[in-house]
Structures are given as C-alpha cells and as structure tokens.
Amino acid sequence: MTTKATYKELEQRVKHLEKEFSKRNRPEAVFQAIPDLIFIISKDGTFIDYKAGCNSTPVIPIDQIIGGNIRDLGFSGKYLKIINKNIKEAIKDNKARTFEYEIKTPEGMETFECRMVSLNKNEVLAIARDITKHKQFEKELRLKNTVFESSLTANSTADVNGNINHVNKSFLKIWGYENKEEVIGKPLSHFFFNKKEIISVLDKLNSIGEWKGEFLARKKNDDTFFSQGFATVVRDTSGKIVGYQSTCLDITRRKKSDETLHNNEKRYRALFEDNNDAVFIFSLDGIHQEVNNQAAEMLGCLKKDIIGRPFSDFTSKKEHENGQEKIELLMSGKRLPFYERTFRRIDGTEFPAEINVSLVFDSDGKPMHFQSIVRDITKRKQIALDIEKRQKHLESFLNAIPEAIVSLDPSHNIIEWNPGAEKIFGYTKSEVVGKNIDDLITNKEILGEAKKFSKKVLSGKVLYPQETIRYRKDGTPVNVIVSASPIKIRGKLLGIVGIYVDISMKKSIEEELKKADKLESLAILAGGIAHDFNNILASILVNLGLFKLYEDDEARTSAKVKEIESAVLRAKDLTRQLLTFSKGNAPIKNPASIKELLEETVKFSLSGSNVKCKSFIPEDLWKVEIDKGQISQVIQNITINADQAMPEGGTIEVRAKNVPENEIQNLALKQGRYIRIDFTDYGIGISEFHLKNIFDPFFTTKQKGGGLGLSTVFSIIKNHNGLINVKSELGKSTTFFIYLPAMKKKSEIKIEEKEETVSGEGKVLLMDDDEMILKASGELLRCIGYDVITAKDGSEAIKLYKNAKNSKDPFDCVILDLTIPNGMGGKDTILELLKIDPETKSIASSGYSVDPIIADYENYGFTGAIPKPYVISDLSQLLKKILNNKN
C-alpha cells in the first residue's frame, strides 16, 4: 500500500498537471464550466485531484478527498470492485469506460454515472454526474408505461393534430387490430363511427382540457360497439397543448344488459297487465298490494276496489281455512301445484277458478310477498261436461253401428274394439285390446297388405275405401271394405282409426249377378258367332256352286276362287277377333312406326267411302312396340265406326302426339312415355246412356254387324298395356283417345317384305293332327320346291327326325302343331328334338293364336312361329328366312 501524499507533494502534483493541461491546450475556463464532479485517480485508487461541478454538491469536503483512496469513501464492496476494475481496464487498453455506482450522502442514497478515461500509464480521469433524479424519473416513467401497456382499458395518445402516436394492447384487442403499426398515424376520427362525434370531443378537449362520455366506435372490420371514454390534453412546460391522451372501455355488453333489463321490465309489465289470467300480488299477511286489469275484470270491479283488501274477501268462506293452510306451506318453503278454488265476485256471485300461488323473495333471500295467477274455469268446466255427454253419445254410436271400428296406437296395438268388430271378426273386446293387430292376421299376403295400409296412414295420409279380405277368429275369410285415417291431437300422431264394412252378402249377390250376366253374354256371343259364320259359310257355298257352273270359264272361276279365299280370310279375322277378345291373348310385338300404319290403314278402310280423312301426325312421333296386325285391326274398326256414323259423308280427323310422363299422372297407366292417337268424327254421336256399354262384347246400336268391333279394340289396347277412352256429344261428334306405350330407346324399323310366295329347297318335317292340313300344306310346300315328310303327333315326328339324322339325310326344318289331342304336342316335341340335335330349326304353328308360345317362341326353343290359318306366302317367307340363316 502506498503512503498518503503530503499536501505539499499534492500541490506540486497539481501544478504539474496544470502544466500538462496547458500543454494540451485545455483552458481552465472550460475545465471550470463542466457541471460534473471531476477526479484524477492514480492506478492504486488514490485521489490526486478533485473538482466539484458547478451544479454538483460535494459528497465529501475537498480536503478529505485529495490524497485519500476510493476505499475510504464508503463504497459498498460491489461498487468498490466495479470502480477498481474500470481503473485497471482504462489504463490497460487506453479506452473510455462508463458505469454507474451508488453512494450514501447526507441526502440519502444517490446514483452517479461515471465516465473514466486513461491519462497515462498510472492515472485516470473520472467524471461523475449525479443521475439520482433522472433514475427516479425513469423509474416513474417505466411504471407509468407499464400501467399504460398492461391496463385492461384501451389507452392511447395522439399528437396535437389528432393522429394516434401510441396505443396499448387492450386498444388493439378492443378495436380488432393485430399490431400497433396498423394504428399509429391514423386520425382519431378513423375510430369513431360518427365523424361529428370526434369533432365535438376535440372541441371540448381544446376548450376545457378534458372530455368524458360515450360514443359509437368502429372496429377494423367495420363492426361497431359502444365505448365509454375519458380524455385529457397534454401540455408542455409553457402550458401549450401538444397532444391528447385517452382511456376507453367497451360497454356494449353493459348497454345490452341495461337494454335487456329495461326490456325485461317492460316485458314483465306487459305480462302483468296484458296477461289473459288474473294476477294478484298480496303481502305476507294477505293484503292485496297490486292486481292487473284482468283480475279486476274477473271480480267485476275496479283495481282500487281490490288493493288494500285481504285476499279472503274474494274467496268462498268455506275455503278460508284451507287457504290459510296453503299459505303456511308456502312460508315453510314448499311449492304448491295448481289447484281449484271457488272465488267470489264483488257482487257476491261465485265461480270456479284454477290458481297457482308462489312466494316471491328479495335479493337477500327474504320473503317479500305472494303472487297468485288465477284463471276462471267456468267455461272449461262446462266444456268438460259437454265432452262427457258427447263421449257417452259416441260410445252409444260405436256400440250401435254394425261396422267394425278399430283404433290402434302407432305400434299397431289395439286401443278400441267396438261391438261391430266383435260381430264381424268374432273376437271379444277383452280378448284383443292391448294386443297387436298384426298377430290376428295369419295369412302372410294379407298381413303384408295390412302393414302397407298402416304405413300409409301413419305417414299422415287417408286410406280411402278399398275392398280386401280379412279373417275371422275361426279362420274363415270375410270380404270387407276398409278405410282408415290418422288420429291426430294438436298435430301429434296418436294412432289410426279403421272402419271395416262386411260386404260378404253383397259379394255373394254380385257373384250371382255375374253368373247371370255371363249366361246372357254367352247367349249373345253364340248368336253373334252363328250369324257371322253362317254368312261366311253361305258365301263360300254359293261361290263353290258358281265355281262348278263356270268351270269352263277360266276368268270367272279365278274370280270365284278369290271370293272363296276372301270369305275364308273373313272367317280367319272373325276367329282372330274372338281370340283377341278372350283373356290371355298375347300380341306378337315388334318395333314399328305407327305413322305409316295409321295413314295406310285409315286410307284402306275408307276405300270407296264418301268420308275423307285429315291427318295431323308429327314426323317426330315416338316409336312403339306393337303387334302390327292387331293395331291395324284397331285402326280399321274405329275408322269403320266413324264412317258408319256419318252416312251422309264428312271428315274424320286423326291426330297423334307424344305424351311425356308428367301428363299421364291422372290416368290409369303405368309411369312412362306414351303416344296418343285421337280419332274424331262429326257424325250422329253416342248417347250418354250407351256410352258406358260401347266396349261390351256384341253391344251395338247399328243395323249391321255383330258388335265385336269395339270390344276387340278394347282387348287389343289393354293387351298392349295401353288405354282407350271415348268422349261424345249426341248429334255433334265422337272422339276416341288411344294411349300406347312409347319405346324407351330408338329402334330401327325394319321394312317388311311384300307378301309374295317365294320358292325354296330343303327337307321339311310337317307335324299336324289334322289330315286335311297335312295334305294341303304338304302339297303347297312341295309346289314351291320343298321335300315334305308328314307326322300326325310328336312321337312319330321324333322317330322320323332321329332316323333321318342317323341316315345322314337330316331334316332342314320342322313345322310343329302345338295342340295335338290325345298326343304329344309341339311344346314337348321340340324339347326332345333339341336333345337329339341342339341345332334343330323349328316353326311353332297353332290355330289358337293366344297360345303364349306363338308370342314368345324363342323362350320355348323354336326358331320361328306362325298362327293358323296361314297363307302360303307367309309360310314360304318364314321358311326362307330360317333356312337362309342356317349355319
């Protein structure tokens, strides 16, 4: 440790330093003007010189500093270590050092900032500035800034021009911004929804220095909210306004709460005053404090006549004791259910009422008063009596009517079963109530139908009367008409009510009438057939007689052959009409364009007539799949009827059009596309009385014909899955409407070959039980080039076919009659032939054209089909077609 320098030595040292300062051109005036404390300190911490600043107060007298050491000035170990470290480092690297230290003074603990720089290798110059007040100000500023930033209220400051220069996080959150950069620089008006409000705020701030109030604020996304704000001006030391500071709160919820509270008060008052029920508020000792208008009206007086009087004044005297008991229960904390009580009006008359009483508590949970809601139930009591009477009447009705009335819940459990149901079905009420009605239906098909009906009704629809079968307890069937409706109360589905009408007796009577009708129809049918066939046979016999007389005249005999052939074809048409009319006739359908068929058939049917035809048939008429022969017959029959309806001549209009699915919804047709054909004549018309019978067999109002025309038309259209209807005005016009299903896909319509006989060659096996057909058909086939072998039944045909195949001379085609009395017919024969030869070419033939095999021959193993009687041209073309396709 160095010894303390003497004053003289220090004086010499100062003088030396003064010389040094002079050498460095540092004027003493500048040195003295420095406001800080200046120390010259040796390497070991000794104070060599010291000068107090002009604004500084020495902590220790000058004479106690110079010559002393820094460790003697009262520094704490922490700061003593810092000072020594900075002295050494400043001398070592010759760089300035700045640091802070604290020292205790008479004023208390003060803080200094020290700037230290090396003078030479042994001394440093230290300049110390008192920053105690600055540090205190900085601490206060930091505290204020912390409060500003962390406040839950939106804090902001703005410059004198009203532009934001600082905001806290709460401001960003409330106004919906993500960072301060989005806000800084924006005018205050940007955050107000109403520009006039910010002008008013700034005017008040500039005039009185502060503002407080509410305003409608605008968020970043342009949403609005209610804000409550407080703002003041910021002034400089001269008192000049240099900016504004403000604090804001989002009070939207509070505003809504206040509004809700206000609305609730209004709502309560509205409920109280406008309630349909009477409301009474009375004190704990039973005195009325407030009542609504309905209460006064119910008691037949004014409000003032009730308020102040005890509740007991308006109730029946016999119930006073009971009323006191209920008040005691309420006071004990129990709640009362609705109950009935007899009230007394101001005029003394009494009436029944339903009442609900509750105890009302204040915010501290103490009882305040009673509140009762009272409803006059005089009308309801009367309605209940009326309902009881009606229920008794209904029960009497249900017990008296013969129909079965059955009600079910949604799960099909039986709820009601009247005596009519007991009589029809044989079950007593006690046997079935509570049971599932499905368990009473043992027939699976009927059960499925019943469930379908129930499902429809449970979906809310009404089941209109439908004829069906149900079963009695003993298992016997009963014919009934059933209808049902959903049971709904206040829109809620509670179940089903069904009504069953026993029509067994009616069905028996109808069956007897049908038998009588059938007998009558058969008599008419027999007469019609006899009439038409007699005419045909007469024509054939007469022409045969003439053929013999004219045997030497080739022209006349040729004409008579044509007449006989025409008569035979008429007989064929009559048979065809009868078969078409019979049930089960299956048309042989092929894709066709009905436009050409319509035009050709109508033209042919009107040949030689004084009736003309106007056609309105579009080119884009949809294609149909039809039996062209049958539909041609339909067109011909309707055209002839129209022609006969206009004996003086006239015009038939034929129209056709495409009918999309949405236009057939109200017709008895399956969903799909259709074409419609209208035939209109302007003849005598049909009376309403006859209109309903025109499709019956042999019904006719004409002098000529047997009446099979329209009944045949009806059957053909029905078998084509179509619909025919008629509209007529007597003496004006008649229109027939025909609907035929249109094809779903476009199909190419093949052009039929002309009806010409074509020759061929090959070996043919002809099987038929009729000797005349075998002989005639065999001879015809031989005439056009075929080698024909005949057989009378299936067994013989199989034998012949097998032998021919084994002999290496097989048949090229077989023609098999489907119906062989007392023998194997074509259906079984072809199966055996296919076993012998899977490539067998075969033609099905039958005089019974309604046989399904003729319409669907391929599914039975045949290659082709032809109905009898046939002409040689048709048979020759079919054979040619089949044999040409031979592999």
Side-chain angles (χ1 to χ4, degrees), residues 18-38:
E18 286 176 352
K19 290 179 181 180
E20 289 294 324
F21 275 113
S22 298
K23 291 178 182 179
R24 298 182 187 184
N25 297 317
R26 293 184 180 273
E28 180 66 22
V30 174
F31 182 72
Q32 293 298 329
I34 295 174
D36 303 316
L37 301 174
I38 300 175

Side-chain angles (χ1 to χ4, degrees), residues 25 66 105 113 133 170 199 204 319 336 401 403 407 431 489 501 554 561 580 646 706 755 786 842 850-851:
N25 297 317
I66 296 176
T105 68
E113 182 182 68
K133 291 182 180 180
S170 293
I199 295 172
K204 196 164 186 180
E319 295 187 4
L336 297 180
I401 63 172
E403 288 80 8
S407 62
E431 287 180 300
I489 296 179
V501 180
E554 185 178 347
V561 168
T580 300
M646 297 184 290
E755 294 184 358
Y786 292 98
S842 58
V850 297
D851 194 309

Side-chain angles (χ1 to χ4, degrees), residues 378-393:
T378 305
K379 289 183 180 179
R380 193 171 77 187
K381 286 276 190 181
Q382 186 59 47
I383 291 171
L385 289 173
D386 293 342
I387 290 173
E388 186 178 355
K389 287 180 183 179
R390 283 200 296 270
Q391 188 172 357
K392 287 180 179 179
H393 289 158

Side-chain angles (χ1 to χ4, degrees), residues 682-861:
Y682 296 93
I684 58 176
I686 306 170
S687 70
E688 188 176 350
F689 177 77
H690 289 141
L691 204 60
K692 60 184 178 181
N693 299 316
I694 62 170
F695 296 117
D696 291 348
F698 295 108
F699 175 84
T700 181
T701 58
K702 302 172 186 175
Q703 298 299 316
K704 297 188 293 180
L708 275 174
L710 289 179
S711 59
T712 303
V713 166
F714 182 85
S715 293
I716 291 172
I717 297 301
K718 184 178 180 183
N719 288 336
H720 277 76
N721 298 317
L723 175 71
I724 183 169
N725 212 335
V726 62
K727 180 177 72 174
S728 183
E729 289 186 65
L730 197 60
K732 290 186 178 181
S733 66
T734 300
T735 302
F736 283 90
F737 306 95
I738 294 175
Y739 290 85
L740 288 172
M743 295 180 67
K744 293 182 179 178
K745 297 180 179 179
K746 293 182 179 179
S747 298
E748 292 184 4
I749 308 303
K750 295 181 180 179
I751 301 173
E752 294 185 355
E753 298 177 5
K754 294 182 179 180
E755 294 184 358
E756 295 178 352
T757 302
V758 292
S759 299
E761 59 180 19
K763 189 176 180 180
V764 177
L765 174 60
L766 176 65
M767 184 195 85
D768 202 296
D769 66 313
D770 192 307
E771 187 68 33
M772 290 176 64
I773 292 176
L774 284 176
K775 186 177 180 180
S777 297
E779 187 175 349
L780 283 171
L781 289 170
R782 292 186 188 100
C783 286
I784 60 174
Y786 292 98
D787 181 13
V788 182
I789 307 295
T790 61
K792 291 185 178 180
D793 60 23
S795 299
E796 185 180 358
I798 293 168
K799 185 177 179 181
L800 289 169
Y801 192 90
K802 188 182 293 184
N803 292 337
K805 185 172 177 61
N806 293 336
S807 66
K808 309 269 188 202
D809 185 21
F811 288 102
D812 295 298
C813 186
V814 296
I815 302 172
L816 304 175
D817 185 17
L818 295 176
T819 307
I820 304 291
N822 302 317
M824 184 185 290
K827 178 181 177 183
D828 296 327
T829 302
I830 189 59
L831 295 176
E832 296 300 320
L833 293 180
L834 288 170
K835 290 178 183 178
I836 298 169
D837 180 9
E839 301 298 325
T840 300
K841 305 296 181 182
S842 58
I843 297 173
S845 177
S846 176
Y848 188 57
S849 64
V850 297
D851 194 309
I853 297 176
I854 297 296
D856 198 17
Y857 57 86
E858 288 180 332
N859 286 335
Y860 292 88

Side-chain angles (χ1 to χ4, degrees), residues 188-349:
L188 288 170
S189 60
H190 185 79
F191 305 95
F192 280 68
F193 181 77
N194 190 337
K195 306 299 183 188
K196 292 181 179 179
E197 282 189 309
I198 184 60
I199 295 172
S200 174
V201 170
L202 291 174
D203 286 347
K204 196 164 186 180
L205 278 170
N206 293 327
S207 60
I208 64 174
E210 66 177 35
W211 168 86
K212 181 167 61 177
E214 296 178 4
F215 64 96
L216 187 62
R218 184 180 68 182
K219 291 188 176 185
K220 178 184 176 181
N221 61 2
D222 287 333
D223 286 348
T224 59
F225 65 95
F226 288 102
S227 177
Q228 185 180 58
F230 174 73
T232 60
V233 297
V234 178
R235 301 179 187 272
D236 61 12
T237 53
S238 66
K240 182 181 177 182
I241 296 176
V242 293
Y244 309 96
Q245 61 183 11
S246 64
T247 298
C248 296
L249 281 173
D250 183 348
I251 60 168
T252 305
R253 284 190 179 182
R254 192 186 77 192
K255 292 281 283 186
K256 287 183 177 178
S257 297
D258 291 346
E259 185 179 353
T260 302
L261 188 64
H262 177 68
N263 289 338
N264 286 342
E265 174 65 25
K266 287 175 67 177
R267 193 178 296 113
Y268 172 77
R269 180 54 53 185
L271 286 172
F272 182 79
E273 290 297 344
D274 300 333
N275 202 315
N276 291 328
D277 297 323
V279 182
F280 298 85
I281 295 175
F282 51 96
S283 64
L284 298 178
D285 56 0
I287 304 301
H288 285 110
Q289 296 176 332
E290 191 173 359
V291 296
N292 68 350
N293 293 328
Q294 188 65 24
E297 184 178 339
M298 186 178 72
L299 296 179
C301 58
L302 301 175
K303 286 184 180 181
K304 64 179 183 178
D305 298 325
I306 304 172
I307 294 171
R309 294 177 62 175
F311 190 75
S312 58
D313 282 1
F314 300 95
T315 57
S316 176
K317 291 182 180 180
K318 60 184 179 182
E319 295 187 4
H320 287 178
E321 186 176 335
N322 185 33
Q324 186 59 38
E325 180 184 339
K326 285 183 168 45
I327 288 175
E328 289 173 2
L329 287 172
L330 283 169
M331 292 298 291
S332 68
K334 295 183 179 179
R335 298 186 66 177
L336 297 180
F338 281 88
Y339 62 93
E340 289 186 15
R341 167 169 282 188
T342 304
F343 277 75
R344 188 172 67 253
R345 298 186 183 88
I346 199 77
D347 62 3
T349 57

Side-chain angles (χ1 to χ4, degrees), residues 29 35 151 272 322 351 363 375 443 478 553 560 567 623 651 685 713 861:
S151 175
F272 182 79
N322 185 33
F351 62 94
S363 58
R375 180 176 296 172
N443 183 289
V478 54
D553 189 337
K560 293 305 148 188
K623 302 297 185 291
T651 301
V713 166

